[in-house]
Amino acid sequence: MSEPGSFAIETTGLVKVFGTTRAVDGVDLRIRAGGVYGVLGPNGAGKTTTIRMLATLLRPDGGTARVLGHDVVREADMVRERVSLTGQFASLDEDFTGKENLVLLGMLYGYARRDANARADELLAAFGLEDAADRQVKHYSGGMRRRLDIAASIVVTPDLIFLDEPTTGLDPRSRNQVWDIVRALVADGTTVLLTTQYLDEADQLADRLAIIDHGRVIAEGTPGELKASVGSGALHVRLRDPEQRMEAERALADALNIPIALDSDPAALSARVNDAELVAHALSSLSQSGIEVTNFALGQPSLDEVFLALTGHPAEEETTQEEPVA
Amino acid sequence: MTTRTTSLPGTPDAISEDRLRTALSPRARPAKPGPVAVSLTFGWRALLKIKHVPEQLMDVTVFPIMFTLMFTYLFGGAIAGSTSAYLQYLLPGVLVQGVIIITMYTGMTLNDDIQKGVFDRFRSLPVWRPAFLVGALLGDTARFGLASAIIIGLGLILGFRPDGGASGLVLGTLVVLAFAFGLSWIWITLGFIMRTPQSLMAASMMVMFPLTFVSNIFVQPETMPSWLEAFVNVNPVSQLATAVRGLMHGDIETTALTVSLLSPVGLTAIFAPITMYLYRNKK
Ligand SMILES: Nc1ncnc2c1ncn2[C@@H]1O[C@H](COP(=O)(O)OP(=O)(O)OP(=O)(O)O)[C@@H](O)[C@H]1O
Ligand SMILES: [Mg+2]
């Protein structure tokens, strides 16, 4: 039984080894029920492996994991009753129609044939797949396939759903549709754990997130906290006259009291600042010294910068989507 | 109301927020289905698969017909003096071969499900786990049954007249089916291990061609060189063919029948537990 106030997911020292690869290397997570929890990491970070252990599809080689209060190894059946998984690659019967896929799952969950049919129709309508209901899945587009795959995971609404890179390889429109579905799930009380390689996706959807790299959690917190941990945003200034750059550097350094970076553009300077007031002061001191500014910008640190600061390498943005070929 | 058209094929349709909310609204879960219900559902899935991929029935329908016609007319005169006399000997054997060859589909279908990820979905469901395999075996029953019916039907048309009558035919067929189910476990086991359905097919052909051709299905072993005769006689497929021939023609070959019935029991005892282990621990 899960006691009130306990975590939806709680792992201690979770480990999975494939041969010599430590795919998951001591992951500790504490995830509260409700909302979206994001797991962010580059290719090969161990996201899928972690999720598969939590969804009882892989047995951990070390550590423990409890999902909704149940141990994923000893009480796997109890976990399976309450969670569902939409894997990184669609797990659908390609030869079947969209509707048949859902009816089959409905019946496996215990619906009578007629109720399973009704439930399938309802889901197809809700996910904008009505027109494709009687088409074989192998003729679906990537976005349709994704939505059907998610629909298949919520034939019976789970208390917790794992979505493994639900938007990788989707166009912006399809991505938005998946986001709508995720938000609707959360509004409905389902806890969502999603993995992503896209920083803006984590920013948009996740209430909290863990950044993992090489099988370890390297940072955890709300997107805001993670950004704050890197310190600051960047001030970018561009001068009319590149000749004045040295002078501008001195003026800015005096006003901001921090090191100023000279960009590759001979007319540009930048600095990390965390106080917008100081920026106004610095800019006015530039004009007082007769230095003309053509352009300036003050940016929030992006999660990209967070990622870079934490791992020393940028998050890969290339997609790894491989649609299974029928 | 929307004026947007969504009829372009492959264009994502609009998602309606209201419908989404309704579809996700909490509701009573259906009662958890029992092992029988789940197995039957998986069986239904296997039949649905046959409906969508009818090509896979080629081997079940066309090959047995080809074999029966080919061997009857090709060898009939030479081996037994007349095609009709040969058919009495050959047909039970062709039934054995026709059904045994298609046992590999069980493994190939499973392997395909694993490669495509469908298996993971089923494995994460809160259902009685062996149901997936039981359902697959139910689908096989349909395949094996269809192949048997075609072979026996064609045989009767061509002049096969078993002395054992209808009961002999039925009993003989049941023994073949029992043997086929036992054999299926081997391919299911390989289905978990092999990388592609094609490699599984190649592996099973390497076993099944010698096993079915180097047997007494087509010719009596007495005319063979003695080393070959020895192999043919211990080949369980020969034992099965002898047993089925006996049942269909009205005399019980006790030894052959015992071997034919014990082989699948032995195969199941060895391979079913291995299968369940692989099922639970598949990566
Ligand atoms: N079944 C397996 N056998 C061997 N190695 C594996 C297996 N599954 C994963 N790995 C390895 O474990 C590491 C983590 O893989 P995992 O799939 O969990 O990463 P991921 O974060 O999901 O990456 P991606 O963004 O590419 O999906 C990788 O180095 C991968 O090669
Ligand atoms: Mg992955």
Side-chain angles (χ1 to χ4, degrees):
Chain A
M1 289 276 36
S2 61
E3 328 99 63
S6 67
F7 295 97
I9 295 175
E10 196 172 1
T11 74
T12 346
L14 203 57
V15 170
K16 184 76 203 178
V17 183
F18 295 114
T20 53
T21 314
R22 296 184 74 82
V24 174
D25 193 10
V27 162
D28 299 307
L29 288 173
R30 281 189 171 63
I31 301 175
R32 293 209 173 275
V36 178
Y37 193 92
V39 173
L40 185 66
N43 285 145
K47 305 182 293 293
T48 299
T49 309
T50 305
I51 278 201
R52 286 173 64 81
M53 286 192 280
L54 295 177
T56 77
L57 288 176
L58 262 186
R59 190 182 269 267
D61 292 326
T64 59
R66 298 179 78 77
V67 172
L68 300 170
H70 302 292
D71 186 279
V72 293
V73 177
R74 280 178 291 113
E75 300 167 300
D77 283 334
M78 315 274 254
V79 175
R80 273 180 224 131
E81 302 243 341
R82 297 179 58 196
V83 309
S84 67
L85 163 72
T86 305
Q88 185 167 358
F89 305 110
S91 46
L92 299 163
D93 256 312
E94 296 276 320
D95 297 318
F96 291 7
T97 66
K99 181 161 175 180
E100 284 166 347
N101 267 287
L102 296 183
V103 170
L104 175 69
L105 282 163
M107 287 169 64
L108 291 174
Y109 274 110
Y111 281 115
R113 182 70 158 267
R114 180 147 35 101
D115 299 333
N117 264 300
R119 180 65 178 147
D121 287 335
E122 185 180 34
L123 284 168
L124 289 163
F127 282 49
L129 291 168
E130 270 164 319
D131 295 345
D134 296 320
R135 235 185 287 158
Q136 283 175 294
V137 172
K138 61 180 167 208
H139 303 307
Y140 277 29
S141 72
M144 292 160 76
R145 207 177 286 246
R146 249 302 114 170
R147 277 179 282 148
L148 183 67
D149 208 19
I150 298 178
S153 307
I154 57 173
V155 169
V156 167
T157 315
D159 295 327
L160 187 150
I161 186 168
F162 297 104
L163 300 174
D164 195 0
E165 299 196 24
T167 62
T168 300
L170 299 191
D171 65 20
R173 183 193 160 86
S174 298
R175 185 190 281 206
N176 273 320
Q177 289 176 327
V178 171
W179 286 0
D180 286 344
I181 294 169
V182 171
R183 293 192 180 105
L185 274 167
V186 172
D188 202 54
T190 299
T191 305
V192 177
L193 186 150
L194 73 81
T195 70
T196 180
Q197 301 181 37
Y198 301 122
L199 301 148
D200 66 315
E201 178 161 274
D203 216 354
Q204 286 273 339
L205 288 179
D207 303 302
R208 290 186 76 81
L209 53 102
I211 298 184
I212 67 171
D213 194 30
H214 297 298
R216 289 173 172 277
V217 177
I218 54 172
E220 208 270 348
T222 64
E225 284 167 2
L226 290 173
K227 287 178 192 171
S229 72
V230 179
S232 48
L235 170 69
H236 297 280
V237 176
R238 194 157 194 285
L239 310 175
R240 162 138 299 154
D241 181 4
E243 295 289 309
Q244 293 182 308
R245 191 152 83 152
M246 298 314 285
E247 208 181 323
E249 185 191 359
R250 233 173 293 122
L252 284 175
D254 285 347
L256 295 170
N257 228 345
I258 47 169
I260 308 297
L262 301 177
D263 296 356
S264 49
D265 176 347
L269 304 90
S270 61
R272 305 201 147 269
V273 288
N274 34 26
D275 189 344
E277 299 255 331
L278 274 181
V279 171
H281 174 63
L283 289 171
S284 69
S285 80
L286 282 182
S287 69
Q288 274 159 25
S289 323
I291 301 168
E292 214 177 327
V293 172
T294 58
N295 200 336
F296 74 91
L298 180 61
Q300 265 260 308
S302 66
L303 275 175
D304 275 297
E305 290 175 83
V306 175
F307 202 88
L308 183 60
L310 287 168
T311 62
H313 63 84
E316 277 105 307
E317 281 282 349
E318 96 261 30
T319 62
T320 50
Q321 187 80 351
E322 340 170 332
E323 286 299 330
V325 185
Chain B
M1 283 288 103
T2 169
T3 52
R4 212 172 49 84
T5 58
T6 54
S7 51
L8 277 177
T11 310
D13 301 350
I15 290 188
S16 137
E17 201 148 315
D18 288 346
R19 283 170 162 185
L20 201 53
R21 202 161 309 141
T22 321
L24 294 175
S25 63
R27 64 195 68 200
R29 288 180 82 103
K32 201 177 155 175
V36 176
V38 180
S39 303
L40 287 175
T41 304
F42 279 119
W44 173 67
R45 171 176 182 265
L47 295 183
L48 204 57
K49 201 115 212 170
I50 296 178
K51 180 189 137 194
H52 280 297
V53 197
E55 305 90 272
Q56 62 172 309
L57 282 186
M58 281 275 287
D59 302 25
V60 178
T61 52
V62 179
F63 285 162
I65 294 176
M66 262 169 49
F67 279 167
T68 313
L69 293 176
M70 235 167 57
F71 290 115
T72 306
Y73 293 106
L74 207 60
F75 296 153
I79 293 175
S82 80
T83 49
S84 110
Y86 183 52
L87 192 62
Q88 311 309 318
Y89 177 83
L90 174 74
L91 196 99
V94 166
L95 176 68
V96 165
Q97 186 183 37
V99 173
I100 278 186
I101 294 265
I102 57 178
T103 54
M104 67 179 172
Y105 278 100
T106 324
M108 288 176 61
T109 313
L110 171 80
N111 190 272
D112 192 53
D113 285 340
I114 293 175
Q115 307 306 333
K116 297 253 170 76
V118 189
F119 179 72
D120 272 350
R121 160 94 58 204
F122 295 143
R123 222 159 49 108
S124 65
L125 292 179
V127 297
W128 185 62
R129 292 198 139 193
F132 179 68
L133 295 175
V134 176
L137 293 176
L138 287 176
D140 288 342
T141 315
R143 267 197 282 262
F144 299 163
L146 183 64
S148 307
I150 288 175
I151 295 169
I152 292 174
L154 181 65
L156 292 173
I157 292 170
L158 294 181
F160 177 57
R161 294 291 173 266
D163 303 328
S167 63
L169 276 181
V170 172
L171 286 176
T173 308
L174 288 179
V175 175
V176 176
L177 293 190
F179 191 91
F181 280 118
L183 201 58
S184 290
W185 287 110
I186 299 182
W187 314 130
I188 292 179
T189 303
L190 288 182
F192 278 107
I193 299 169
M194 307 289 269
R195 279 179 205 281
T196 65
Q198 287 72 31
S199 55
L200 197 159
M201 185 170 187
S204 62
M205 282 303 182
M206 248 151 52
V207 176
M208 285 197 293
F209 267 112
L211 227 48
T212 54
F213 281 99
V214 190
S215 73
N216 66 10
I217 287 182
F218 302 101
V219 286
Q220 302 274 14
E222 284 82 53
T223 58
M224 300 174 187
S226 61
W227 58 270
L228 193 59
E229 185 184 351
F231 175 82
V232 168
N233 284 333
V234 297
N235 181 351
V237 173
S238 301
Q239 299 287 337
L240 178 62
T242 305
V244 175
R245 220 175 265 134
L247 285 169
M248 290 190 171
H249 288 303
D251 35 40
I252 311 284
E253 303 274 353
T254 319
T255 319
L257 191 58
T258 313
V259 172
S260 304
L261 290 174
L262 285 184
S263 308
V265 174
L267 287 171
T268 307
I270 297 168
F271 285 99
I274 297 181
T275 305
M276 285 321 293
Y277 172 82
L278 291 170
Y279 191 126
R280 274 194 301 273
N281 295 285
K282 181 80 197 162
K283 290 195 169 152

